[in-house]
Amino acid sequence: MSNQKIRKSSGEPDEFEAQVAQQLLDLEMTSNELKAPLKDLYITAAKEVDCGAGRKAIILYVPYKLLKSFHKIQQRLVRELEKKFSGRNVLIIAQRTILGNSYKRTSRSAAPRPRSRTLTAVQDAILEDIVYPTEITGKRTRCKVDGRRILKVYLDSKDQANVEPRVETYAAVYNKLTNKQVSFIFN
């Protein structure tokens, strides 16, 4: 029954993904305000990430086409899922494709790869997904003397009260997904 809430392109969902799908199905059945919006929504994968200091985060991967629908209910959905998975932060990220430099479409059309499929564009979009519903107001890359690069991301200060406890989780998840160091600052 819970398999209708997770659709994987290859293979069967593992135990953790099935558990998350079951929780989504339970929310759809029990919550009156989430019943209609969750009806046609599903996830493609779920992953648990260790954020250090004993904290964990759950990443829900959703199809890119359904991301806008998830954004409409994200705050309520995340609040309910965080209650169910006591103490773990829940993040919703779109499943995106990265195409390499050598990508060729077909022999008929010699169009270049779309900008939205480049590594940089996908990593920027992942950062946007992680901090949603807060807006990113600016970014700076700081190059340290020893060669390390740290991306400083400036977030909108109107959401500071809601987002500040989750900033360390955001940085850990982004580092896990893209292998880039990031720090969040409010302005």
Side-chain angles (χ1 to χ4, degrees), residues 25-117:
L25 188 65
D26 291 347
L27 272 178
E28 182 184 338
M29 297 300 179
T30 58
S31 175
N32 290 332
E33 63 179 14
L34 291 174
K35 186 176 187 104
L38 271 177
K39 185 175 171 234
D40 298 324
L41 300 181
Y42 58 91
I43 61 173
T44 56
K47 193 163 50 168
E48 192 170 32
V49 175
D50 185 32
C51 298
R55 292 175 327 198
K56 292 189 183 277
I58 297 172
I59 304 172
L60 302 180
Y61 289 98
V62 301
Y64 177 75
K65 290 182 177 182
L66 295 179
L67 185 64
K68 275 199 179 1
S69 303
F70 270 100
H71 280 335
K72 290 177 186 172
I73 61 166
Q74 181 162 347
Q75 288 180 311
R76 288 178 288 171
L77 180 64
V78 166
R79 190 176 340 109
E80 293 297 324
L81 285 174
E82 285 178 352
K83 284 181 199 170
K84 302 254 188 202
F85 292 107
S86 59
R88 297 186 225 166
N89 290 331
V90 177
L91 304 170
I92 298 175
I93 298 177
Q95 187 80 48
R96 292 186 170 85
T97 306
I98 300 172
L99 299 175
N101 286 337
S102 60
Y103 172 74
K104 298 282 185 242
R105 283 183 187 238
T106 59
S107 57
R108 284 186 281 131
S109 82
R113 69 181 166 160
R115 285 276 184 254
S116 64
R117 305 289 195 288

Side-chain angles (χ1 to χ4, degrees), residues 114-186:
R115 285 276 184 254
S116 64
R117 305 289 195 288
T118 63
L119 177 70
T120 307
V122 169
Q123 288 179 345
D124 287 346
I126 287 173
L127 187 60
E128 292 274 344
D129 288 349
I130 287 175
V131 300
Y132 186 84
T134 306
E135 288 184 21
I136 295 174
T137 56
K139 290 185 214 170
R140 304 285 184 272
T141 303
R142 176 152 190 235
C143 300
K144 294 213 170 180
V145 178
D146 60 358
R148 288 185 298 147
R149 290 175 164 214
I150 297 176
L151 183 65
K152 286 186 174 183
V153 177
Y154 295 93
L155 299 176
D156 198 352
S157 59
K158 72 175 192 235
D159 299 323
Q160 185 170 358
N162 300 334
V163 176
E164 199 154 29
R166 313 178 95 202
V167 164
E168 292 168 4
T169 303
Y170 292 166
V173 168
Y174 188 72
N175 187 11
K176 203 68 117 183
L177 295 177
T178 62
N179 208 18
K180 286 187 173 182
Q181 296 289 324
V182 66
S183 65
F184 294 97
I185 302 163
F186 293 94

